[in-house]
Amino acid sequence: KKKTVSFSSMPNDRKINSTAACISLMLEGCELKKVRSNSRMYSRFFVLDADMRSVRWEPSKKDSEKAKIEIKSVKEVRVGKKTPVLRSNGLSDQFPDECAFSIIYGDNYESLDLVASSADVVSAWVMGLRYLVSYGKHSPEAPGTGHPSLRTSWISSVFELADLEKSGRIPVSRAVQLIKALNPGMKTSTIELKFKELQKASERPGTEVACDLFVEAYCELCTRPEIFFLLVQFSSNKEYLGVKDLLMFLEVEQGMEGVTEEKCLEIVSKYEPSKEGREKGYLAIDGFTRYLLSADCSIFDPQHRKVCQDMAQPLSHYYISSAHSACLLEDNFWGRSDISGYISALGLGCRSIELVLWDGPEGEPVVYTSPSAASCVPFRAVVGLIDQHAFTASAYPLILCLVVRCSAPQQRLAAQCLRKTLGEKLYLEPPNPVASYLPSPEELKGRILIKGKKLPPTCEDSEGEVSDEEEGWELARRLGQEDREAPEGGGLRRVRLSRELSELVSLCQAVPFQDFESSRRGQRYWEMCSFSEVEAGRFANECPAELVSYNKRFLSRIYPSPMRIDASNMNPQDFWKCGCQMVAMNYQTPGLMMDLNAGWFRQNGACGYVLRPAIMREEVSYFSANAKDSLPGVPAQLLHLKVISGQNLPKPKGSGAKGEVVEPYVCAEIHGIPADCAEHRTKTALQSGDNPIFDESLEFQINLPELAVLRFVVLDDDYIGDEFIAQYTIPFECLQPGYRHVPLQSLAGEPLPHATLFVHVAITDRRGGGKGHRRGLAGRRGRRVREYTSTKATGIKAIDEVFRTATQPLREATDLRENVQNALVSFKELCGLTPAANMKQCILTVSTWLLHSDSAPSVTLNLAEQYPPMEAQGPIPDLLRKVLTAYETMIQTSRTLIESADAVYGKLIQAQQAG
């Protein structure tokens, strides 16, 4: 009688936590769909023979001896749609990638292509088969017999330490605390439930547990199948990673360079819990899990944790982290005023703070932060705070934006206070008249710049009139202090300014903006304009190229529209894409916009300055933020993101009334130039407890990587109302490839302890030009028309003729590049890998095939040669011949590229210089 297995219960109790569990599932057998080369699918029952030497299926037209595959003939087991049959057009939409797998077997490398009901079933079969392929030759007896594994003996030793009475049993409560200590983040209720279940199953109820039960509970609770699966893939003995296995994993999967065996031993001694493992240099599943969860394996590239960009460029070449009225900790107009807002903004690396000065009741100026008269803070106190905290988080210059609303006598007091308190830190040197750019953050380290109005040089008196700033009037209206009505016939309001305050302004002199033409002719590099978000938004839409060009030399500050009375934030990306350096954010308001700002400024050691893309800094470069596709001179990239699982996800805030269960899904969003903005979501993981499995692949095309930000958001599908669970935002340039954990944060940006997403990241160059699109088989590849870069005619005959000579070398360059990229992809696909794979993975795959082959054809790879040939000795199967041919094509196209590149480049430079 056929046995069938229901998988609906698998993810919850997570039975697949050892190779033995996989093999017992295969011995019971289950339904899988078999895919034929004509794309038809047939349901068949697949089972592993009791002697574990072959896999057979029924019903079948073949006799029972033919409807089977011997384990010893299996060359490779592939996960996903990695064979020509599974990639073919008719099928690709019928089932997700993670439900397919293929068994490559026999001397001719035939493939048996299968589709399962879920990713878990695939994992179980693949893990079991890979184990049998490695061990089938040695041990047909059931796995799990014989000596206890590293892991079991370690867990038993932990139990013995806790067994103070040496009675062989410990109280359940102590056992629960032990497991919780070994696996922080796990809920007590989950552990208690597991003990109850196991006690009931083994008919040993009571308040104490024995060692074997403790080991079983630990293994069931603390084994993450997806990590176990990964370990089996790289382990040469399927139980743990030796030093060589770990080295292979770090180089091939994690993209690490220069890894040594010493480095691997360091990792083992740091993360492997068992003494025996540390002594022998083995990393078992618990140590491997700890390593993958550690900061050493973070998704955020550690190089970006310290200042890593060139800080010697002019100030106008950086984005500068800026706050709008930083000390409002609630909302704008009914917010409470709290001076600690300044400290927290400076602590987050904010480098530009706005202060609005008003006449104070005691004859000295105050800073208001809400319309109630009780909410004013003496200016002196704020300056004292700034003096203390200005450089705690960053050594680079701090810009104080002063908006003056107080009388001339109180302005004098403010100026004296600034000079006395800030002393040497205050930057007062006059701008250098022969320079044409602002000094660099490096030159201005440890200095505080004042941004404000300046009296005209013609004014001789102790005070004079200047045009007023638009900013800060909204508050005046609410305070009822708006006595200065706008002048007749429009134009700017005028205000009195004292000479003392005017003299503090040097490199950031505030001037009104007329238009781009006037700025180009008359604005000096130390003068800067502020724009309201409405005005800046209009420029960004109507003349983005002019705004980018303007921002090459001048600083621009964008402040929120006065209509935002709830202190909500504008999207900083809307202005960064046009090169605007200072986008003033309401730091006190959490949400998407603040996540983008906080994530963005993490990429340069959180110092508050980020170097803008080269395309926005170079004197001669044309860039319009609203470009619809890839940009000239910037190679587009593809981000391949696999969201595998979530750990210890908290419940959404305010969902107290609901049950315990979260039904999460993950949204991955790219924020950047409009052509890059995109969002993909995973399916919802139903009733998965706190540790859902998603196992879903998403793909994004990124045209301007330097401006792109990736944001993960975890949401609850089951909750009505605020379904937000967690988020994490990271600049594209800071992503590390390979298997990584994403440290999730709350809405306010605080870390959520032990809450993570487990993902795989791969980044490849996009092939060719034009829109990135999914490609199926080679048959479709030929139809794509190559897009060649061409030059735009200027209408000036002499120039157009010079540039016409560049047409041919541009075509040659495109051909050289595309030929190499196409050859690379063909080689990877024949090896059964995705275009995101790297060379090491390809060579590793081919060598695995050869090792698992009885009639092993020998293949040599001669690395001593500049262009290493890969050659077979003797007759070889068809598939292997195709792989070798593809390898040869790849080497030859690379050789042509390497040998012709200089000449083509020379022709292009010649045309450019002549132009």
Side-chain angles (χ1 to χ4, degrees):
K1 175 171 157 295
K2 258 201 287 187
K3 272 189 178 175
T4 52
V5 181
S6 141
F7 288 104
S8 55
S9 62
M10 257 175 67
N12 297 1
D13 42 17
R14 301 198 123 172
K15 283 287 186 284
I16 303 300
N17 56 17
S18 67
T19 338
C22 300
I23 288 173
S24 64
L25 182 141
M26 291 161 65
L27 288 165
E28 289 178 17
C30 71
E31 294 259 330
L32 297 169
K33 287 194 170 74
K34 187 165 171 263
V35 185
R36 293 260 179 91
S37 52
N38 59 8
S39 299
R40 306 272 302 271
M41 296 208 279
Y42 303 89
S43 272
R44 295 290 179 261
F45 185 78
F46 282 77
V47 65
L48 175 66
D49 270 355
D51 64 3
M52 297 198 224
R53 288 172 197 259
S54 49
V55 171
R56 49 180 80 242
W57 58 94
E58 51 187 50
S60 167
K61 294 202 178 72
K62 301 177 181 168
D63 60 43
S64 61
E65 278 316 294
K66 294 244 181 74
K68 70 168 189 180
I69 289 178
E70 292 198 354
I71 296 291
K72 65 169 194 249
S73 73
V74 173
K75 302 282 186 264
E76 186 197 0
V77 186
R78 294 180 188 173
V79 189
K81 302 174 192 169
K82 303 275 174 61
T83 60
V85 170
L86 289 175
R87 276 202 201 99
S88 69
N89 310 349
L91 285 174
S92 46
D93 313 329
Q94 292 186 26
F95 48 87
D97 193 62
E98 57 276 5
C99 287
F101 69 106
S102 305
I103 303 172
I104 311 294
Y105 65 97
D107 289 339
N108 293 327
Y109 293 82
E110 293 166 66
S111 73
L112 172 65
D113 299 301
L114 301 167
V115 178
S117 57
S118 76
D120 290 306
V121 185
V122 173
S123 298
W125 275 90
V126 172
M127 211 180 323
L129 284 166
R130 283 179 179 166
Y131 180 88
L132 291 171
V133 168
S134 301
Y135 284 107
K137 298 179 184 138
H138 317 301
S139 57
E141 79 271 7
T145 54
H147 67 115
S149 68
L150 270 181
R151 186 183 201 193
T152 315
S153 36
W154 165 66
I155 302 165
S156 309
S157 70
V158 171
F159 178 89
E160 278 152 29
L161 284 175
D163 178 11
L164 307 171
E165 299 77 28
K166 299 287 168 256
S167 62
R169 307 174 69 75
I170 61 172
V172 172
S173 57
R174 195 182 303 160
V176 171
Q177 287 319 110
L178 259 185
I179 288 186
K180 208 170 160 61
L182 293 170
N183 197 344
M186 189 173 282
K187 286 191 188 147
T188 312
S189 56
T190 312
I191 307 172
E192 287 169 345
L193 194 68
K194 178 56 69 185
F195 277 120
K196 280 205 184 93
E197 231 176 75
L198 292 175
Q199 282 181 320
K200 191 177 172 193
S202 61
E203 296 176 351
R204 290 188 285 179
T207 53
E208 294 189 319
V209 292
C211 186
D212 60 334
L213 205 97
F214 178 76
V215 171
E216 193 180 344
Y218 178 87
C219 289
E220 289 200 10
L221 286 165
C222 304
T223 311
R224 286 175 44 192
E226 69 278 26
I227 290 184
F228 185 71
F229 188 50
L230 196 55
L231 180 125
V232 172
Q233 217 171 319
F234 280 87
S235 156
S236 36
N237 75 341
K238 307 301 175 215
E239 289 296 330
Y240 50 76
L241 297 172
V243 170
K244 288 212 164 40
D245 301 332
L246 181 58
L247 194 134
M248 187 73 83
F249 170 75
L250 296 176
E251 281 199 335
V252 169
E253 275 305 333
Q254 304 299 85
M256 284 167 70
E257 285 172 11
V259 190
T260 58
E261 295 202 355
E262 291 72 48
K263 171 74 186 152
C264 294
L265 283 168
E266 265 173 52
I267 291 175
V268 172
S269 64
K270 188 169 171 185
Y271 296 105
E272 174 53 44
S274 71
K275 187 161 172 274
E276 187 191 349
R278 289 195 298 273
E279 285 166 1
K280 294 184 174 167
Y282 296 153
L283 197 59
I285 177 72
D286 299 286
F288 189 43
T289 307
R290 285 180 184 189
Y291 170 63
L292 286 174
L293 277 164
S294 73
D296 288 348
C297 203
S298 158
I299 189 168
F300 190 91
D301 185 343
Q303 285 178 326
H304 289 271
R305 292 212 175 104
K306 45 189 185 300
V307 175
C308 55
Q309 296 177 341
D310 172 8
M311 299 303 283
Q313 301 272 340
L315 212 53
S316 60
H317 285 357
Y318 298 85
Y319 295 111
I320 304 171
S321 178
S322 308
H324 177 245
S325 315
C327 60
L328 298 185
L329 274 189
E330 297 291 317
D331 52 4
N332 255 352
F333 291 113
W334 19 87
R336 62 194 172 86
S337 145
D338 182 353
I339 203 159
S340 69
Y342 287 111
I343 304 178
S344 72
L346 289 169
L348 291 167
C350 174
R351 295 287 83 196
S352 159
I353 280 180
E354 175 194 33
L355 301 174
V356 187
L357 274 64
W358 300 89
D359 277 337
E362 322 268 291
E364 65 167 313
V366 293
V367 174
Y368 271 101
T369 52
S370 79
S372 70
S375 76
C376 60
V377 182
F379 179 64
R380 212 178 14 162
V382 177
V383 176
L385 257 189
I386 288 172
D387 179 52
Q388 264 176 302
H389 298 277
F391 300 107
T392 47
S394 166
Y396 292 101
L398 174 68
I399 301 171
L400 293 185
C401 304
L402 296 187
V403 180
V404 181
R405 297 270 174 268
C406 59
S407 60
Q410 294 209 5
Q411 289 174 30
R412 286 188 198 103
L413 287 176
Q416 286 160 17
C417 164
L418 284 165
R419 274 182 193 268
K420 189 174 150 213
T421 315
L422 302 178
E424 287 295 293
K425 294 182 188 142
L426 213 49
Y427 184 91
L428 300 170
E429 289 123 66
N432 174 359
V434 293
S436 44
Y437 279 100
L438 287 161
S440 69
E442 193 55 54
E443 293 166 73
L444 296 168
K445 250 184 172 172
R447 306 302 290 271
I448 295 177
L449 311 179
I450 304 289
K451 168 199 174 274
K453 293 284 175 185
K454 217 168 161 54
L455 290 174
T458 50
C459 173
E460 303 284 320
D461 307 330
S462 65
E463 55 183 78
E465 273 207 343
V466 291
S467 64
D468 188 14
E469 297 256 8
E470 275 301 293
E471 249 182 298
W473 275 113
E474 196 63 25
L475 185 62
R477 281 188 205 107
R478 286 164 188 270
L479 284 166
Q481 291 194 4
E482 196 185 7
D483 47 357
R484 291 163 267 202
E485 277 308 313
E488 292 296 313
L492 292 165
R493 293 189 182 86
R494 311 288 292 169
V495 286
R496 303 292 292 170
L497 177 68
S498 79
R499 175 166 296 285
E500 284 93 328
L501 205 51
S502 166
E503 282 170 353
L504 298 183
V505 176
S506 160
L507 292 178
C508 298
Q509 182 184 339
V511 296
F513 178 78
Q514 256 103 35
D515 55 69
F516 291 119
E517 191 46 46
S518 318
S519 295
R520 199 168 68 228
R521 282 203 307 268
Q523 192 171 336
R524 290 165 305 195
Y525 71 83
W526 62 84
E527 297 177 327
M528 64 176 286
C529 301
S530 290
F531 303 88
S532 83
E533 82 177 273
V534 178
E535 187 183 15
R538 197 177 71 242
F539 292 143
N541 286 331
E542 291 170 12
C543 40
E546 279 96 328
L547 190 50
V548 171
S549 196
Y550 171 84
N551 284 321
K552 284 180 187 176
R553 276 191 57 204
F554 309 116
L555 285 175
S556 57
R557 180 171 184 275
I558 317 295
Y559 58 89
S561 148
M563 304 315 285
R564 292 183 182 272
I565 57 168
D566 56 351
S568 61
N569 274 309
M570 47 193 168
N571 184 345
Q573 285 273 6
D574 291 346
F575 307 103
W576 290 339
K577 69 179 188 190
C578 293
C580 301
Q581 298 87 349
M582 301 160 74
V583 182
M585 303 293 284
N586 288 306
Y587 269 61
Q588 70 280 12
T589 311
L592 164 65
M593 305 314 172
M594 207 52 222
D595 292 346
L596 290 176
N597 195 69
W600 179 249
F601 282 104
R602 252 184 229 140
Q603 66 183 293
N604 191 20
C607 75
Y609 285 82
V610 166
L611 189 61
R612 297 184 319 177
I615 199 168
M616 294 187 183
R617 305 193 309 265
E618 290 159 357
E619 280 284 357
V620 180
S621 70
Y622 170 80
F623 167 66
S624 161
N626 298 337
K628 291 284 176 280
D629 196 39
S630 53
L631 306 165
V634 181
Q637 299 195 301
L638 283 179
L639 169 64
H640 310 262
L641 187 66
K642 185 170 192 187
V643 181
I644 304 168
S645 60
Q647 291 71 46
N648 306 313
L649 299 179
K651 290 174 66 174
K653 275 214 165 65
S655 61
K658 304 257 329 220
E660 275 298 293
V661 188
V662 180
E663 298 199 336
Y665 63 96
V666 178
C667 249
E669 310 165 344
I670 293 283
H671 298 266
I673 59 170
D676 289 347
C677 292
E679 154 180 340
H680 295 310
R681 58 159 284 181
T682 65
K683 331 185 258 301
T684 301
L686 298 169
Q687 311 198 318
S688 54
D690 315 323
N691 303 310
I693 296 270
F694 300 104
D695 236 337
E696 212 160 323
S697 303
L698 314 171
E699 194 174 283
F700 297 92
Q701 176 179 318
I702 318 271
N703 295 296
L704 185 54
E706 288 172 281
L707 259 194
V709 177
L710 168 64
R711 181 171 184 255
F712 294 95
V713 199
V714 188
L715 299 163
D716 185 2
D717 214 357
D718 190 39
Y719 185 60
I720 302 159
D722 179 20
E723 71 283 315
F724 177 89
I725 296 175
Q727 62 86 23
Y728 181 73
T729 310
I730 178 170
F732 181 78
E733 300 275 292
C734 299
L735 285 172
Q736 291 222 87
Y739 288 94
R740 305 285 171 185
H741 279 93
V742 176
L744 295 171
Q745 299 179 339
S746 69
L747 192 59
E750 274 113 32
L752 294 167
H754 313 299
T756 50
L757 283 180
F758 186 44
V759 300
H760 182 267
V761 176
I763 295 165
T764 53
D765 286 338
R766 200 189 82 215
R767 295 165 56 242
K771 282 267 179 264
H773 56 257
R774 290 234 165 88
R775 234 183 4 74
L777 273 170
R780 261 194 278 173
R781 188 181 310 159
R783 284 190 222 150
R784 208 187 82 211
V785 181
R786 262 188 200 176
E787 296 193 8
Y788 292 102
T789 306
S790 54
T791 51
K792 252 192 185 140
T794 58
I796 304 164
K797 196 171 167 214
I799 291 181
D800 288 342
E801 277 176 6
V802 170
F803 281 126
R804 206 164 289 131
T805 61
T807 311
Q808 193 47 39
L810 279 171
R811 285 184 79 92
E812 286 171 41
T814 305
D815 286 336
L816 287 169
R817 188 185 64 216
E818 288 245 329
N819 292 345
V820 171
Q821 288 181 327
N822 287 336
L824 269 166
V825 170
S826 303
F827 177 60
K828 289 173 187 176
E829 288 190 348
L830 279 167
C831 292
L833 297 167
T834 63
N838 58 39
M839 251 326 101
K840 286 181 176 152
Q841 288 165 320
C842 297
I843 301 297
L844 193 66
T845 304
V846 176
S847 69
T848 330
W849 295 349
L850 297 169
L851 289 175
H852 289 162
S853 172
D854 287 340
S855 57
S858 89
V859 172
T860 58
L861 183 61
N862 182 0
L863 293 173
E865 293 195 26
Q866 190 188 354
Y867 299 105
M870 186 157 44
E871 290 161 348
Q873 317 298 319
I876 52 166
D878 192 35
L879 178 70
L880 204 52
R881 182 173 301 105
K882 283 184 183 159
V883 169
L884 293 185
T885 314
Y887 175 82
E888 184 56 27
T889 312
M890 180 187 75
I891 292 289
Q892 287 314 325
T893 52
S894 304
R895 180 176 188 157
T896 315
L897 171 78
I898 293 164
E899 291 172 357
S900 329
D902 290 348
V904 176
Y905 182 67
K907 287 183 209 164
L908 289 170
I909 292 295
Q910 211 177 331
Q912 188 183 6
Q913 284 168 346

